[in-house]
CSV table of all heavy atoms in Angstrom, one decimal:
chain,number,residue,atom,x,y,z
A,1,ALA,N,-5.6,15.1,0.7
A,1,ALA,CA,-4.2,15.3,0.5
A,1,ALA,C,-3.7,15.2,-0.9
A,1,ALA,O,-2.8,15.9,-1.3
A,1,ALA,CB,-3.5,14.3,1.5
A,2,LEU,N,-4.3,14.3,-1.6
A,2,LEU,CA,-3.9,14.1,-3.1
A,2,LEU,C,-4.4,15.3,-3.8
A,2,LEU,O,-3.6,15.8,-4.8
A,2,LEU,CB,-4.6,12.8,-3.6
A,2,LEU,CG,-4.0,11.6,-3.2
A,2,LEU,CD1,-4.8,10.4,-3.7
A,2,LEU,CD2,-2.6,11.4,-3.6
A,3,GLY,N,-5.5,15.9,-3.5
A,3,GLY,CA,-6.0,17.1,-4.2
A,3,GLY,C,-5.1,18.3,-4.0
A,3,GLY,O,-4.7,19.0,-4.8
A,4,PHE,N,-4.6,18.5,-2.7
A,4,PHE,CA,-3.7,19.5,-2.4
A,4,PHE,C,-2.4,19.4,-3.0
A,4,PHE,O,-1.7,20.4,-3.6
A,4,PHE,CB,-3.5,19.7,-0.8
A,4,PHE,CG,-4.5,20.5,-0.1
A,4,PHE,CD1,-5.3,19.8,0.8
A,4,PHE,CD2,-4.8,21.7,-0.4
A,4,PHE,CE1,-6.4,20.5,1.5
A,4,PHE,CE2,-5.9,22.4,0.3
A,4,PHE,CZ,-6.6,21.8,1.2
A,5,ALA,N,-1.9,18.1,-3.1
A,5,ALA,CA,-0.6,17.9,-3.7
A,5,ALA,C,-0.7,18.1,-5.2
A,5,ALA,O,0.2,18.8,-5.8
A,5,ALA,CB,-0.2,16.5,-3.5
A,6,ALA,N,-1.8,17.8,-5.9
A,6,ALA,CA,-1.9,18.0,-7.3
A,6,ALA,C,-2.1,19.6,-7.5
A,6,ALA,O,-1.5,20.1,-8.5
A,6,ALA,CB,-3.2,17.3,-7.8
A,7,TYR,N,-2.8,20.3,-6.7
A,7,TYR,CA,-3.0,21.7,-7.0
A,7,TYR,C,-1.8,22.5,-6.7
A,7,TYR,O,-1.5,23.3,-7.6
A,7,TYR,CB,-4.2,22.2,-6.0
A,7,TYR,CG,-4.5,23.6,-6.3
A,7,TYR,CD1,-5.3,24.0,-7.4
A,7,TYR,CD2,-4.1,24.6,-5.5
A,7,TYR,CE1,-5.6,25.3,-7.7
A,7,TYR,CE2,-4.3,25.9,-5.6
A,7,TYR,CZ,-5.2,26.3,-6.8
A,7,TYR,OH,-5.5,27.6,-7.0
A,8,PHE,N,-1.1,22.2,-5.7
A,8,PHE,CA,0.0,23.1,-5.3
A,8,PHE,C,1.4,22.5,-5.8
A,8,PHE,O,2.3,23.3,-6.1
A,8,PHE,CB,0.2,23.2,-3.8
A,8,PHE,CG,-0.9,24.0,-3.2
A,8,PHE,CD1,-1.9,23.4,-2.4
A,8,PHE,CD2,-1.0,25.4,-3.5
A,8,PHE,CE1,-2.9,24.1,-1.8
A,8,PHE,CE2,-2.0,26.1,-2.9
A,8,PHE,CZ,-3.0,25.5,-2.0
A,9,GLY,N,1.5,21.2,-6.1
A,9,GLY,CA,2.8,20.7,-6.5
A,9,GLY,C,2.8,20.2,-7.9
A,9,GLY,O,3.8,19.8,-8.4
A,10,GLY,N,1.6,20.1,-8.5
A,10,GLY,CA,1.7,19.5,-9.9
A,10,GLY,C,1.5,18.0,-9.9
A,10,GLY,O,1.2,17.4,-8.8
A,11,PHE,N,1.5,17.5,-11.1
A,11,PHE,CA,1.3,16.1,-11.3
A,11,PHE,C,2.3,15.2,-10.7
A,11,PHE,O,2.1,14.2,-10.1
A,11,PHE,CB,1.2,15.7,-12.8
A,11,PHE,CG,0.7,14.4,-13.0
A,11,PHE,CD1,-0.6,14.0,-12.7
A,11,PHE,CD2,1.6,13.4,-13.6
A,11,PHE,CE1,-1.0,12.6,-13.0
A,11,PHE,CE2,1.1,12.1,-13.9
A,11,PHE,CZ,-0.2,11.8,-13.5
A,12,ALA,N,3.6,15.6,-10.6
A,12,ALA,CA,4.7,14.8,-10.0
A,12,ALA,C,4.5,14.7,-8.5
A,12,ALA,O,4.6,13.6,-7.9
A,12,ALA,CB,6.0,15.4,-10.4
A,13,ALA,N,4.0,15.8,-7.9
A,13,ALA,CA,3.7,15.7,-6.4
A,13,ALA,C,2.5,14.8,-6.2
A,13,ALA,O,2.5,14.1,-5.2
A,13,ALA,CB,3.4,17.1,-6.0
A,14,PHE,N,1.5,14.9,-7.0
A,14,PHE,CA,0.4,14.0,-7.0
A,14,PHE,C,0.8,12.5,-6.9
A,14,PHE,O,0.4,11.8,-6.1
A,14,PHE,CB,-0.6,14.3,-8.0
A,14,PHE,CG,-1.7,13.3,-8.1
A,14,PHE,CD1,-2.8,13.4,-7.3
A,14,PHE,CD2,-1.7,12.3,-9.1
A,14,PHE,CE1,-3.9,12.4,-7.4
A,14,PHE,CE2,-2.7,11.4,-9.2
A,14,PHE,CZ,-3.8,11.4,-8.3
A,15,LEU,N,1.6,12.2,-7.9
A,15,LEU,CA,2.1,10.8,-8.0
A,15,LEU,C,2.9,10.4,-6.7
A,15,LEU,O,2.8,9.2,-6.3
A,15,LEU,CB,2.9,10.6,-9.3
A,15,LEU,CG,2.1,10.6,-10.6
A,15,LEU,CD1,3.1,10.5,-11.7
A,15,LEU,CD2,1.0,9.5,-10.6
A,16,LEU,N,3.8,11.3,-6.3
A,16,LEU,CA,4.6,11.0,-5.1
A,16,LEU,C,3.7,10.8,-3.9
A,16,LEU,O,3.9,9.8,-3.2
A,16,LEU,CB,5.7,12.1,-4.8
A,16,LEU,CG,6.5,12.0,-3.7
A,16,LEU,CD1,7.4,10.8,-3.8
A,16,LEU,CD2,7.3,13.2,-3.4
A,17,VAL,N,2.7,11.6,-3.7
A,17,VAL,CA,1.9,11.5,-2.6
A,17,VAL,C,1.0,10.2,-2.7
A,17,VAL,O,0.9,9.5,-1.7
A,17,VAL,CB,0.9,12.7,-2.4
A,17,VAL,CG1,-0.1,12.4,-1.3
A,17,VAL,CG2,1.7,13.9,-2.0
A,18,ALA,N,0.6,9.9,-3.9
A,18,ALA,CA,-0.2,8.6,-4.1
A,18,ALA,C,0.7,7.3,-3.8
A,18,ALA,O,0.3,6.4,-3.2
A,18,ALA,CB,-0.7,8.6,-5.5
A,19,ALA,N,2.0,7.4,-4.3
A,19,ALA,CA,2.9,6.3,-4.1
A,19,ALA,C,3.2,6.0,-2.6
A,19,ALA,O,3.2,4.9,-2.1
A,19,ALA,CB,4.1,6.4,-4.9
A,20,LEU,N,3.5,7.1,-1.9
A,20,LEU,CA,3.8,7.0,-0.5
A,20,LEU,C,2.5,6.6,0.3
A,20,LEU,O,2.6,5.9,1.3
A,20,LEU,CB,4.3,8.4,0.0
A,20,LEU,CG,5.7,8.8,-0.5
A,20,LEU,CD1,6.1,10.2,0.0
A,20,LEU,CD2,6.7,7.7,-0.2
A,21,GLY,N,1.4,7.1,-0.2
A,21,GLY,CA,0.1,6.6,0.5
A,21,GLY,C,-0.1,5.1,0.3
A,21,GLY,O,-0.4,4.4,1.2
A,22,ALA,N,0.3,4.6,-0.9
A,22,ALA,CA,0.2,3.1,-1.1
A,22,ALA,C,1.2,2.3,-0.2
A,22,ALA,O,0.9,1.3,0.3
A,22,ALA,CB,0.4,2.8,-2.5
A,23,VAL,N,2.4,2.9,0.0
A,23,VAL,CA,3.3,2.2,0.8
A,23,VAL,C,2.9,2.2,2.3
A,23,VAL,O,3.0,1.2,2.9
A,23,VAL,CB,4.8,2.9,0.6
A,23,VAL,CG1,5.7,2.5,1.8
A,23,VAL,CG2,5.4,2.7,-0.8
A,24,GLY,N,2.4,3.3,2.7
A,24,GLY,CA,1.9,3.4,4.0
A,24,GLY,C,0.6,2.5,4.2
A,24,GLY,O,0.5,1.8,5.3
A,25,PHE,N,-0.2,2.4,3.3
A,25,PHE,CA,-1.3,1.4,3.3
A,25,PHE,C,-0.8,-0.1,3.4
A,25,PHE,O,-1.4,-0.8,4.3
A,25,PHE,CB,-2.1,1.6,2.1
A,25,PHE,CG,-3.4,0.8,2.1
A,25,PHE,CD1,-4.5,1.1,2.9
A,25,PHE,CD2,-3.6,-0.3,1.3
A,25,PHE,CE1,-5.6,0.4,2.9
A,25,PHE,CE2,-4.7,-1.1,1.3
A,25,PHE,CZ,-5.8,-0.7,2.1
A,26,ALA,N,0.2,-0.4,2.7
A,26,ALA,CA,0.8,-1.8,2.7
A,26,ALA,C,1.4,-2.0,4.2
A,26,ALA,O,1.3,-3.1,4.7
A,26,ALA,CB,1.7,-2.0,1.6
A,27,ALA,N,2.2,-1.0,4.6
A,27,ALA,CA,2.8,-1.1,5.9
A,27,ALA,C,1.7,-1.3,7.0
A,27,ALA,O,1.9,-2.0,7.9
A,27,ALA,CB,3.7,0.2,6.2
A,28,GLY,N,0.6,-0.5,6.9
A,28,GLY,CA,-0.4,-0.8,7.8
A,28,GLY,C,-1.0,-2.1,7.8
A,28,GLY,O,-1.3,-2.7,8.9
A,29,TRP,N,-1.1,-2.8,6.8
A,29,TRP,CA,-1.6,-4.1,6.6
A,29,TRP,C,-0.7,-5.1,7.3
A,29,TRP,O,-1.1,-5.9,8.0
A,29,TRP,CB,-1.8,-4.6,5.1
A,29,TRP,CG,-3.1,-4.4,4.6
A,29,TRP,CD1,-4.2,-3.9,5.2
A,29,TRP,CD2,-3.5,-4.9,3.3
A,29,TRP,NE1,-5.3,-4.0,4.3
A,29,TRP,CE2,-4.9,-4.5,3.2
A,29,TRP,CE3,-2.8,-5.5,2.3
A,29,TRP,CZ2,-5.6,-4.8,2.0
A,29,TRP,CZ3,-3.5,-5.7,1.0
A,29,TRP,CH2,-4.9,-5.4,0.9
A,30,LEU,N,0.6,-4.8,7.0
A,30,LEU,CA,1.6,-5.7,7.7
A,30,LEU,C,1.7,-5.6,9.1
A,30,LEU,O,1.8,-6.5,9.9
A,30,LEU,CB,3.0,-5.4,7.0
A,30,LEU,CG,3.2,-5.8,5.6
A,30,LEU,CD1,4.5,-5.3,5.1
A,30,LEU,CD2,3.2,-7.3,5.5
A,31,LEU,N,1.6,-4.3,9.7
A,31,LEU,CA,1.7,-4.1,11.1
A,31,LEU,C,0.5,-4.6,11.8
A,31,LEU,O,0.5,-5.1,12.9
A,31,LEU,CB,1.9,-2.6,11.4
A,31,LEU,CG,3.3,-2.1,10.9
A,31,LEU,CD1,3.3,-0.5,11.2
A,31,LEU,CD2,4.4,-2.7,11.9
A,32,ARG,N,-0.6,-4.6,11.2
A,32,ARG,CA,-1.9,-5.0,11.8
A,32,ARG,C,-2.0,-6.5,11.7
A,32,ARG,O,-2.7,-7.1,12.5
A,32,ARG,CB,-3.1,-4.4,11.0
A,32,ARG,CG,-4.4,-4.5,11.9
A,32,ARG,CD,-5.5,-3.6,11.3
A,32,ARG,NE,-6.1,-4.3,10.2
A,32,ARG,CZ,-7.1,-3.9,9.5
A,32,ARG,NH1,-7.5,-2.6,9.8
A,32,ARG,NH2,-7.6,-4.5,8.6
A,33,GLY,N,-1.3,-7.2,10.9
A,33,GLY,CA,-1.2,-8.6,10.8
A,33,GLY,C,-2.2,-9.2,9.9
A,33,GLY,O,-2.5,-10.4,9.9
A,34,ASP,N,-2.7,-8.4,8.9
A,34,ASP,CA,-3.7,-8.9,7.9
A,34,ASP,C,-2.9,-9.7,6.9
A,34,ASP,O,-3.6,-10.5,6.2
A,34,ASP,CB,-4.5,-7.7,7.3
A,34,ASP,CG,-5.4,-7.2,8.3
A,34,ASP,OD1,-5.8,-7.8,9.2
A,34,ASP,OD2,-6.0,-6.1,8.0
A,35,VAL,N,-1.7,-9.4,6.6
A,35,VAL,CA,-0.9,-10.0,5.6
A,35,VAL,C,0.3,-10.7,6.2
A,35,VAL,O,1.0,-10.1,6.9
A,35,VAL,CB,-0.5,-9.0,4.4
A,35,VAL,CG1,0.4,-9.6,3.5
A,35,VAL,CG2,-1.7,-8.4,3.8
A,36,ASP,N,0.5,-12.0,5.8
A,36,ASP,CA,1.7,-12.6,6.2
A,36,ASP,C,2.8,-12.5,5.2
A,36,ASP,O,2.6,-13.1,4.1
A,36,ASP,CB,1.5,-14.2,6.5
A,36,ASP,CG,2.7,-14.9,7.0
A,36,ASP,OD1,3.7,-14.3,7.4
A,36,ASP,OD2,2.6,-16.2,7.0
A,37,LEU,N,3.9,-11.8,5.4
A,37,LEU,CA,4.8,-11.4,4.4
A,37,LEU,C,5.6,-12.6,3.8
A,37,LEU,O,5.8,-12.8,2.6
A,37,LEU,CB,5.9,-10.5,4.9
A,37,LEU,CG,6.8,-9.8,3.9
A,37,LEU,CD1,6.0,-9.0,2.8
A,37,LEU,CD2,7.7,-8.9,4.7
A,38,GLY,N,5.9,-13.7,4.8
A,38,GLY,CA,6.4,-14.9,4.3
A,38,GLY,C,5.6,-15.7,3.3
A,38,GLY,O,6.1,-16.2,2.3
A,39,GLU,N,4.3,-15.8,3.6
A,39,GLU,CA,3.4,-16.4,2.8
A,39,GLU,C,3.3,-15.7,1.4
A,39,GLU,O,3.2,-16.4,0.4
A,39,GLU,CB,2.1,-16.6,3.5
A,39,GLU,CG,1.0,-17.4,2.7
A,39,GLU,CD,-0.3,-17.4,3.5
A,39,GLU,OE1,-0.2,-17.9,4.6
A,39,GLU,OE2,-1.3,-16.9,3.0
A,40,LEU,N,3.2,-14.4,1.5
A,40,LEU,CA,3.0,-13.6,0.4
A,40,LEU,C,4.3,-13.8,-0.6
A,40,LEU,O,4.1,-13.9,-1.9
A,40,LEU,CB,2.9,-12.2,0.6
A,40,LEU,CG,2.6,-11.2,-0.5
A,40,LEU,CD1,1.2,-11.5,-1.0
A,40,LEU,CD2,2.6,-9.7,0.1
A,41,LEU,N,5.4,-13.7,-0.1
A,41,LEU,CA,6.6,-13.9,-0.9
A,41,LEU,C,6.9,-15.2,-1.4
A,41,LEU,O,7.4,-15.4,-2.5
A,41,LEU,CB,7.9,-13.4,-0.1
A,41,LEU,CG,8.0,-11.9,0.2
A,41,LEU,CD1,9.1,-11.6,1.0
A,41,LEU,CD2,7.9,-11.1,-1.1
A,42,SER,N,6.5,-16.3,-0.7
A,42,SER,CA,6.6,-17.7,-1.1
A,42,SER,C,5.6,-18.1,-2.2
A,42,SER,O,5.9,-19.1,-2.9
A,42,SER,CB,6.6,-18.7,0.0
A,42,SER,OG,5.2,-18.7,0.5
A,43,GLY,N,4.5,-17.4,-2.2
A,43,GLY,CA,3.5,-17.7,-3.3
A,43,GLY,C,2.5,-18.8,-2.9
A,43,GLY,O,1.7,-19.2,-3.6
A,44,ARG,N,2.7,-19.3,-1.7
A,44,ARG,CA,1.9,-20.4,-1.3
A,44,ARG,C,0.6,-19.9,-0.6
A,44,ARG,O,0.6,-18.8,0.1
A,44,ARG,CB,2.6,-21.3,-0.3
A,44,ARG,CG,3.6,-22.1,-0.9
A,44,ARG,CD,4.3,-23.0,0.1
A,44,ARG,NE,4.9,-22.1,1.2
A,44,ARG,CZ,5.8,-22.5,1.9
A,44,ARG,NH1,6.4,-23.7,1.8
A,44,ARG,NH2,6.4,-21.7,2.8
A,45,ASP,N,-0.5,-20.6,-0.7
A,45,ASP,CA,-1.8,-20.3,-0.1
A,45,ASP,C,-2.1,-21.3,1.0
A,45,ASP,O,-2.3,-22.5,0.6
A,45,ASP,CB,-2.8,-20.0,-1.2
A,45,ASP,CG,-4.1,-19.5,-0.6
A,45,ASP,OD1,-4.1,-19.1,0.6
A,45,ASP,OD2,-5.1,-19.4,-1.4
A,46,ARG,N,-2.1,-21.0,2.2
A,46,ARG,CA,-2.3,-22.0,3.2
A,46,ARG,C,-3.9,-22.3,3.3
A,46,ARG,O,-4.2,-23.2,4.1
A,46,ARG,CB,-1.8,-21.5,4.6
A,46,ARG,CG,-2.4,-20.3,5.1
A,46,ARG,CD,-1.8,-19.9,6.4
A,46,ARG,NE,-2.3,-18.6,6.7
A,46,ARG,CZ,-2.4,-18.1,7.9
A,46,ARG,NH1,-2.0,-18.9,8.9
A,46,ARG,NH2,-2.7,-16.9,8.2
A,47,ARG,N,-4.7,-21.6,2.7
A,47,ARG,CA,-6.1,-21.9,2.7
A,47,ARG,C,-6.5,-23.1,1.9
A,47,ARG,O,-7.7,-23.6,2.0
A,47,ARG,CB,-7.0,-20.7,2.3
A,47,ARG,CG,-6.9,-19.5,3.3
A,47,ARG,CD,-7.6,-18.4,2.8
A,47,ARG,NE,-6.8,-17.7,1.8
A,47,ARG,CZ,-7.1,-16.7,1.0
A,47,ARG,NH1,-8.3,-16.3,1.1
A,47,ARG,NH2,-6.2,-16.1,0.2
A,48,ARG,N,-5.7,-23.6,1.1
A,48,ARG,CA,-6.0,-24.7,0.3
A,48,ARG,C,-5.9,-26.0,1.1
A,48,ARG,O,-5.3,-26.2,1.9
A,48,ARG,CB,-5.0,-24.9,-0.8
A,48,ARG,CG,-5.3,-23.8,-1.9
A,48,ARG,CD,-4.4,-24.2,-3.1
A,48,ARG,NE,-4.1,-22.8,-3.7
A,48,ARG,CZ,-3.2,-22.7,-4.7
A,48,ARG,NH1,-2.6,-23.8,-5.1
A,48,ARG,NH2,-2.9,-21.6,-5.1
């Protein structure tokens, strides 16, 4: 997908696809429950 975006849309399209992919990756982590958003924003680590 990144290769097609870079080839057909140029570097700006490549960056847009990469950024949206990163947002989707983070949303997937949140929806799956791997990351606790409250803990992440508070800066506390409950493993200590």
